Amino acid sequence: MTFTISSPDSDTVFVDNGASTTVQETDAAGIAAANVLLGTRPGDTEIAASVDTPKGTRFTSFRVLTGVEVVGKDLEAPAGETIDAFGVRLTDVDGTPAQGVDVYFRVEGGEDGASIGATEVRTDEAGLATTSWALGKDTGRNFASVTIRDRRSNLPDSQRFDVREIEFEAMSVNKMAMALELFGGLAVFIFGMKLMSDGLRRMADRRLKSILQAMTRNRFLATGVGAGLTAMVQSSSAVTVMTVGFVNAGLITLTQAIGVVYGANIGTTITAQIIAFKLDNLAYPAIALGLIISTVARRPNVKAFGEAILGFGLLFLGMKTMSGTLKPLRHSPEFVSWFQLFDCSPGPSGIVRPGAALMCILVGTIATVVVQSSSATVGLVLALSSQGLLTFYTAVPLVLGDNIGTTITAVFASIGANRNARRTALAHTLFNVIGASYMYLLLFLPFWHGQPVFLGLVDAVTPGDAFAAEPENLMRHVANAHTTFNLINCSVFLFFVGPMARLCQRIIPLTDADRETVLQYLEPHLLNAPSLALEQAVKEVAYMLRRAQKSINEGCAFFFGGPRELEEKLLIREDVIDRLQEEITSYLVELSRKPLQPSEAALIPALIHVVNDAERVGDHSENLVELTHLARQGNHYLSPTALETVQQFQDLLNQQFQAILDSLNQADPSVEQQVLAREETITALVQDATEAHVQRLERQECKVQAGVIFLDLLAHLERVGDHLVNIAERTGVIVRVTGK
């Protein structure tokens, strides 16, 4: 780099050669510097600097003041408060303080409320001229100028100060207002993200079943599904939580879930890419359009689409608010010095500062854990980068920390879930922690044109120069670094899905103390996918109905002379059925609060009625146990004919049970007619059995007490048949809505 003293009448020279021109080479940090020896003439000296680049010669200039010391650098104060002293200290040619020089102060730019204490000051015996400066009431830059008029008649012109106007800058900061604006913008950003995610998820809800079916093929498809689904709903947290729910409900295996989690980390980078397009101007039109569509639309899918557009607009409005709030901070000495604590830019050694990079990863992790959204914290990093508060070296470690922090959502979701669900959350955490660890190490390998290999790769594929003194296209560089990290990490881990699953199984092994739940198919996290949750609820109801059928059969077997163990099993199962009724009903009530299609909303009362009927079927098994005890205690035994009649009843009821279960599993809407037809057979059988029993009593072929037990037994079995008819009447509705 060539440095030239351009002031023709200056006697200032460069130290290294005593001349007015010198050439200096850049050091390991890319810095070229030259030292000057100030001359005796007080005033301004201009130094021009030039460097040859592939794009041509670039110039800049420096101003050197001889005999003038600026008093008050990095000026900053709370908005509306006063800086006590700023100004200049002047020194004459002989090195003594310049006393009696007139110095004029004035405010530049007309800042609201800004004013100067004394506008005209004469230097004192120490050559000092200062005044106070009341700053503006708002956050922003305040400007003032100092003009020196050396009217001393006892000095020749060559020894008087000939100085251009000196500009001062001070930052007024309203920290409370800025904090409120920043957190308000972040809240709008997060709300917009949630609204957009919810709208997109509701639009995709009906497709989840086919997506899950595609997921079962191989790890590559699972990864593609995870990436596509996350890009679709714009939330990796939602997808990973949903995946934990799928595993807990037994819909997918641990290996498939790990593939989905890998893909979700790729899909979540789409948000940062969208933000980097700087579509701020679309914020208000999108909000207006989304509000109109979501308000006017009647079809749920169209309303969800409108909410997604509204969320999109709010997302960019929040981003715009955060960027606008942070913009003045790049001129704040206090904030700049604070951000320099996290600055990872290479030092004299030419490598990224390890401690600062590690601190940034930790800060990014904690921030994402608190906010519970990596998209929000990455968006904040993009906003800081766009205002020049973060360098590329600093932004990337923060993004790595954001990726680690987002795993906490899945960890929270897995609390109380089964082992495989917790292993899925663990795989998500290991994926990001291990990936961030080796990316951290790559920050210290300057193998790409002197830059860290990963940062150099991103810079090479992204337009602009992220390492320039004034970085170009920095937001896009940070977004691309986020995407590239997850693409590389996924490519590495995709070939180790099996070992990852085994590692998670080793870390979280099965134990005898594992808590078992009565629920087999319901999973709280599936409530975010209402259509899929409904299908799982139908499976749970069918499971409950099978439990009730088994209780009736065991009750009959116990009546026919079965062992005491049958009663114990039956009573335990009845307790399970009661708990199933309570938990399924609570789940359906919670599901009813979610946005549902009208037909889906109508299905919930039908399912609740089915659950209640199934529970009452289980109650009748207890009645069979009571009748068995009554018969055995009084030695009241039924005749072979009566026992045969009871067996016929049991066979007919099993046919009813099976028809309903087949309907739920095989989409047979004709079950209602089949069950009603058998109900007529059961009614006729009850009438025939009652008449035959009366005739036996008249012929004194059976005892009266045994006859009472027989009729009670028939009555309970008939009521079971009535409950099955009630269930069958609602099965057709269930099959049509769920599309089974």
Short mmCIF file of all heavy atoms in Angstrom, two decimals, residues 392-430:
data_model
loop_
_atom_site.label_atom_id
_atom_site.label_comp_id
_atom_site.label_asym_id
_atom_site.label_seq_id
_atom_site.Cartn_x
_atom_site.Cartn_y
_atom_site.Cartn_z
N PHE A 392 -18.39 -11.58 9.92
CA PHE A 392 -18.67 -12.93 9.46
C PHE A 392 -18.05 -13.96 10.40
O PHE A 392 -18.63 -15.01 10.69
CB PHE A 392 -18.13 -13.10 8.04
CG PHE A 392 -18.57 -14.37 7.35
CD1 PHE A 392 -19.84 -14.87 7.51
CD2 PHE A 392 -17.67 -15.07 6.54
CE1 PHE A 392 -20.25 -16.04 6.88
CE2 PHE A 392 -18.06 -16.24 5.90
CZ PHE A 392 -19.35 -16.72 6.07
N TYR A 393 -16.85 -13.63 10.91
CA TYR A 393 -16.16 -14.54 11.84
C TYR A 393 -16.98 -14.75 13.12
O TYR A 393 -16.94 -15.81 13.73
CB TYR A 393 -14.80 -13.95 12.23
CG TYR A 393 -13.83 -13.77 11.10
CD1 TYR A 393 -13.63 -12.51 10.54
CD2 TYR A 393 -13.11 -14.85 10.58
CE1 TYR A 393 -12.73 -12.33 9.50
CE2 TYR A 393 -12.20 -14.67 9.55
CZ TYR A 393 -12.02 -13.41 9.01
OH TYR A 393 -11.13 -13.24 7.99
N THR A 394 -17.71 -13.72 13.54
CA THR A 394 -18.48 -13.79 14.79
C THR A 394 -19.86 -14.39 14.57
O THR A 394 -20.37 -15.14 15.41
CB THR A 394 -18.62 -12.38 15.40
OG1 THR A 394 -17.33 -11.79 15.52
CG2 THR A 394 -19.29 -12.43 16.76
N ALA A 395 -20.49 -14.07 13.44
CA ALA A 395 -21.86 -14.51 13.18
C ALA A 395 -21.95 -16.03 13.07
O ALA A 395 -22.91 -16.64 13.55
CB ALA A 395 -22.38 -13.85 11.90
N VAL A 396 -20.95 -16.66 12.44
CA VAL A 396 -21.02 -18.11 12.22
C VAL A 396 -21.00 -18.89 13.54
O VAL A 396 -21.82 -19.79 13.74
CB VAL A 396 -19.89 -18.57 11.27
CG1 VAL A 396 -19.81 -20.10 11.22
CG2 VAL A 396 -20.15 -18.03 9.87
N PRO A 397 -20.10 -18.61 14.50
CA PRO A 397 -20.18 -19.31 15.79
C PRO A 397 -21.52 -19.10 16.51
O PRO A 397 -22.03 -20.01 17.16
CB PRO A 397 -19.02 -18.73 16.59
CG PRO A 397 -18.04 -18.28 15.57
CD PRO A 397 -18.86 -17.78 14.43
N LEU A 398 -22.09 -17.90 16.40
CA LEU A 398 -23.40 -17.66 17.00
C LEU A 398 -24.45 -18.56 16.38
O LEU A 398 -25.31 -19.13 17.07
CB LEU A 398 -23.80 -16.19 16.83
CG LEU A 398 -23.10 -15.18 17.75
CD1 LEU A 398 -23.41 -13.76 17.31
CD2 LEU A 398 -23.52 -15.37 19.19
N VAL A 399 -24.40 -18.72 15.06
CA VAL A 399 -25.36 -19.60 14.36
C VAL A 399 -25.15 -21.05 14.78
O VAL A 399 -26.13 -21.80 14.94
CB VAL A 399 -25.21 -19.43 12.83
CG1 VAL A 399 -25.98 -20.53 12.09
CG2 VAL A 399 -25.72 -18.06 12.41
N LEU A 400 -23.90 -21.45 14.98
CA LEU A 400 -23.64 -22.82 15.46
C LEU A 400 -24.29 -23.02 16.83
O LEU A 400 -24.89 -24.08 17.10
CB LEU A 400 -22.13 -23.07 15.56
CG LEU A 400 -21.34 -23.07 14.24
CD1 LEU A 400 -19.86 -23.32 14.52
CD2 LEU A 400 -21.87 -24.12 13.28
N GLY A 401 -24.19 -22.02 17.69
CA GLY A 401 -24.85 -22.10 18.99
C GLY A 401 -26.35 -22.15 18.87
O GLY A 401 -27.04 -22.87 19.62
N ASP A 402 -26.90 -21.39 17.91
CA ASP A 402 -28.35 -21.42 17.68
C ASP A 402 -28.81 -22.83 17.31
O ASP A 402 -29.88 -23.28 17.75
CB ASP A 402 -28.73 -20.45 16.55
CG ASP A 402 -28.47 -19.00 16.94
OD1 ASP A 402 -28.40 -18.72 18.15
OD2 ASP A 402 -28.34 -18.16 16.04
N ASN A 403 -28.02 -23.53 16.52
CA ASN A 403 -28.37 -24.89 16.12
C ASN A 403 -28.37 -25.85 17.31
O ASN A 403 -29.18 -26.77 17.38
CB ASN A 403 -27.41 -25.39 15.04
CG ASN A 403 -27.79 -24.89 13.66
OD1 ASN A 403 -28.53 -25.52 12.93
ND2 ASN A 403 -27.27 -23.73 13.30
N ILE A 404 -27.44 -25.63 18.24
CA ILE A 404 -27.43 -26.47 19.45
C ILE A 404 -28.64 -26.15 20.32
O ILE A 404 -29.31 -27.05 20.84
CB ILE A 404 -26.12 -26.27 20.23
CG1 ILE A 404 -24.92 -26.73 19.41
CG2 ILE A 404 -26.18 -27.01 21.57
CD1 ILE A 404 -23.58 -26.45 20.07
N GLY A 405 -28.92 -24.88 20.50
CA GLY A 405 -30.01 -24.46 21.38
C GLY A 405 -31.37 -24.95 20.96
O GLY A 405 -32.23 -25.22 21.80
N THR A 406 -31.59 -25.12 19.65
CA THR A 406 -32.91 -25.53 19.19
C THR A 406 -33.25 -26.95 19.59
O THR A 406 -34.42 -27.35 19.58
CB THR A 406 -33.00 -25.38 17.65
OG1 THR A 406 -34.37 -25.50 17.24
CG2 THR A 406 -32.19 -26.46 16.95
N THR A 407 -32.24 -27.75 19.97
CA THR A 407 -32.51 -29.14 20.35
C THR A 407 -33.23 -29.24 21.69
O THR A 407 -33.81 -30.28 22.00
CB THR A 407 -31.20 -29.94 20.44
OG1 THR A 407 -30.37 -29.40 21.49
CG2 THR A 407 -30.43 -29.87 19.14
N ILE A 408 -33.20 -28.17 22.49
CA ILE A 408 -33.82 -28.24 23.81
C ILE A 408 -35.32 -28.43 23.71
O ILE A 408 -35.96 -29.02 24.59
CB ILE A 408 -33.47 -26.97 24.63
CG1 ILE A 408 -33.74 -27.21 26.13
CG2 ILE A 408 -34.26 -25.77 24.15
CD1 ILE A 408 -32.84 -28.23 26.75
N THR A 409 -35.93 -27.94 22.62
CA THR A 409 -37.38 -28.09 22.45
C THR A 409 -37.76 -29.56 22.35
O THR A 409 -38.72 -30.02 22.98
CB THR A 409 -37.84 -27.35 21.17
OG1 THR A 409 -37.41 -25.99 21.25
CG2 THR A 409 -39.36 -27.39 21.06
N ALA A 410 -37.00 -30.32 21.56
CA ALA A 410 -37.27 -31.75 21.44
C ALA A 410 -37.00 -32.47 22.75
O ALA A 410 -37.71 -33.43 23.10
CB ALA A 410 -36.42 -32.35 20.32
N VAL A 411 -35.99 -32.01 23.49
CA VAL A 411 -35.70 -32.63 24.79
C VAL A 411 -36.88 -32.43 25.74
O VAL A 411 -37.32 -33.37 26.42
CB VAL A 411 -34.42 -32.03 25.40
CG1 VAL A 411 -34.22 -32.51 26.83
CG2 VAL A 411 -33.21 -32.41 24.55
N PHE A 412 -37.42 -31.21 25.78
CA PHE A 412 -38.60 -30.95 26.62
C PHE A 412 -39.78 -31.81 26.18
O PHE A 412 -40.53 -32.32 27.01
CB PHE A 412 -38.98 -29.47 26.55
CG PHE A 412 -38.05 -28.56 27.29
CD1 PHE A 412 -37.94 -27.22 26.94
CD2 PHE A 412 -37.26 -29.03 28.32
CE1 PHE A 412 -37.08 -26.36 27.61
CE2 PHE A 412 -36.38 -28.20 29.00
CZ PHE A 412 -36.30 -26.86 28.65
N ALA A 413 -39.94 -31.96 24.86
CA ALA A 413 -41.07 -32.73 24.34
C ALA A 413 -40.97 -34.20 24.71
O ALA A 413 -41.99 -34.89 24.82
CB ALA A 413 -41.14 -32.58 22.82
N SER A 414 -39.74 -34.69 24.90
CA SER A 414 -39.56 -36.12 25.17
C SER A 414 -39.70 -36.48 26.64
O SER A 414 -39.71 -37.65 27.00
CB SER A 414 -38.17 -36.56 24.69
OG SER A 414 -37.14 -35.97 25.47
N ILE A 415 -39.81 -35.44 27.50
CA ILE A 415 -39.96 -35.72 28.93
C ILE A 415 -41.29 -36.44 29.16
O ILE A 415 -42.34 -35.97 28.76
CB ILE A 415 -39.90 -34.42 29.75
CG1 ILE A 415 -38.52 -33.77 29.62
CG2 ILE A 415 -40.24 -34.68 31.21
CD1 ILE A 415 -38.40 -32.43 30.29
N GLY A 416 -41.23 -37.59 29.80
CA GLY A 416 -42.43 -38.37 30.06
C GLY A 416 -42.82 -39.29 28.93
O GLY A 416 -43.76 -40.07 29.06
N ALA A 417 -42.09 -39.22 27.79
CA ALA A 417 -42.40 -40.09 26.66
C ALA A 417 -41.66 -41.42 26.83
O ALA A 417 -40.91 -41.62 27.79
CB ALA A 417 -42.00 -39.41 25.36
N ASN A 418 -41.86 -42.33 25.87
CA ASN A 418 -41.20 -43.61 25.99
C ASN A 418 -39.72 -43.50 25.61
O ASN A 418 -39.23 -42.44 25.22
CB ASN A 418 -41.91 -44.68 25.14
CG ASN A 418 -41.89 -44.34 23.65
OD1 ASN A 418 -40.99 -43.66 23.17
ND2 ASN A 418 -42.87 -44.83 22.93
N ARG A 419 -39.03 -44.63 25.72
CA ARG A 419 -37.58 -44.62 25.52
C ARG A 419 -37.19 -44.18 24.12
O ARG A 419 -36.26 -43.40 23.93
CB ARG A 419 -37.02 -46.01 25.81
CG ARG A 419 -37.05 -46.38 27.28
CD ARG A 419 -35.87 -45.79 28.02
NE ARG A 419 -36.09 -45.80 29.46
CZ ARG A 419 -35.16 -45.50 30.34
NH1 ARG A 419 -33.96 -45.18 29.95
NH2 ARG A 419 -35.42 -45.51 31.62
N ASN A 420 -37.87 -44.68 23.11
CA ASN A 420 -37.50 -44.33 21.73
C ASN A 420 -37.71 -42.85 21.46
O ASN A 420 -36.95 -42.24 20.70
CB ASN A 420 -38.30 -45.17 20.74
CG ASN A 420 -37.64 -46.51 20.46
OD1 ASN A 420 -36.44 -46.67 20.67
ND2 ASN A 420 -38.41 -47.48 20.02
N ALA A 421 -38.74 -42.26 22.05
CA ALA A 421 -38.96 -40.83 21.88
C ALA A 421 -37.81 -40.03 22.49
O ALA A 421 -37.32 -39.06 21.91
CB ALA A 421 -40.29 -40.43 22.51
N ARG A 422 -37.35 -40.46 23.67
CA ARG A 422 -36.22 -39.77 24.29
C ARG A 422 -34.93 -39.99 23.50
O ARG A 422 -34.08 -39.11 23.42
CB ARG A 422 -36.06 -40.26 25.73
CG ARG A 422 -37.01 -39.56 26.71
CD ARG A 422 -36.87 -40.09 28.11
NE ARG A 422 -37.62 -41.33 28.28
CZ ARG A 422 -37.53 -42.12 29.33
NH1 ARG A 422 -36.69 -41.82 30.30
NH2 ARG A 422 -38.26 -43.21 29.42
N ARG A 423 -34.81 -41.17 22.91
CA ARG A 423 -33.63 -41.41 22.07
C ARG A 423 -33.65 -40.52 20.83
O ARG A 423 -32.60 -40.07 20.36
CB ARG A 423 -33.61 -42.88 21.65
CG ARG A 423 -33.29 -43.84 22.80
CD ARG A 423 -33.62 -45.26 22.44
NE ARG A 423 -33.32 -46.20 23.52
CZ ARG A 423 -33.82 -47.42 23.61
NH1 ARG A 423 -34.67 -47.85 22.67
NH2 ARG A 423 -33.50 -48.21 24.61
N THR A 424 -34.83 -40.26 20.28
CA THR A 424 -34.94 -39.37 19.12
C THR A 424 -34.46 -37.97 19.49
O THR A 424 -33.70 -37.34 18.74
CB THR A 424 -36.40 -39.31 18.63
OG1 THR A 424 -36.84 -40.62 18.30
CG2 THR A 424 -36.52 -38.41 17.41
N ALA A 425 -34.90 -37.46 20.64
CA ALA A 425 -34.45 -36.14 21.11
C ALA A 425 -32.94 -36.14 21.34
O ALA A 425 -32.25 -35.16 21.03
CB ALA A 425 -35.19 -35.76 22.39
N LEU A 426 -32.41 -37.24 21.88
CA LEU A 426 -30.97 -37.33 22.11
C LEU A 426 -30.21 -37.31 20.79
O LEU A 426 -29.17 -36.65 20.67
CB LEU A 426 -30.65 -38.61 22.88
CG LEU A 426 -29.16 -38.91 23.11
CD1 LEU A 426 -28.52 -37.81 23.94
CD2 LEU A 426 -28.98 -40.26 23.79
N ALA A 427 -30.72 -38.03 19.78
CA ALA A 427 -30.08 -38.04 18.46
C ALA A 427 -30.03 -36.63 17.88
O ALA A 427 -29.03 -36.22 17.26
CB ALA A 427 -30.81 -38.99 17.52
N HIS A 428 -31.11 -35.88 18.06
CA HIS A 428 -31.16 -34.50 17.58
C HIS A 428 -30.08 -33.66 18.26
O HIS A 428 -29.37 -32.88 17.61
CB HIS A 428 -32.55 -33.92 17.87
CG HIS A 428 -32.79 -32.57 17.27
ND1 HIS A 428 -33.68 -31.67 17.78
CD2 HIS A 428 -32.22 -31.97 16.19
CE1 HIS A 428 -33.68 -30.58 17.04
NE2 HIS A 428 -32.79 -30.73 16.07
N THR A 429 -29.93 -33.83 19.56
CA THR A 429 -28.93 -33.08 20.30
C THR A 429 -27.52 -33.47 19.88
O THR A 429 -26.67 -32.60 19.63
CB THR A 429 -29.10 -33.32 21.81
OG1 THR A 429 -30.43 -32.93 22.21
CG2 THR A 429 -28.09 -32.52 22.61
N LEU A 430 -27.24 -34.77 19.78
CA LEU A 430 -25.91 -35.23 19.38
C LEU A 430 -25.56 -34.74 17.98
O LEU A 430 -24.42 -34.35 17.71
CB LEU A 430 -25.85 -36.76 19.44
CG LEU A 430 -25.91 -37.39 20.84
CD1 LEU A 430 -25.95 -38.91 20.73
CD2 LEU A 430 -24.71 -36.94 21.68
#
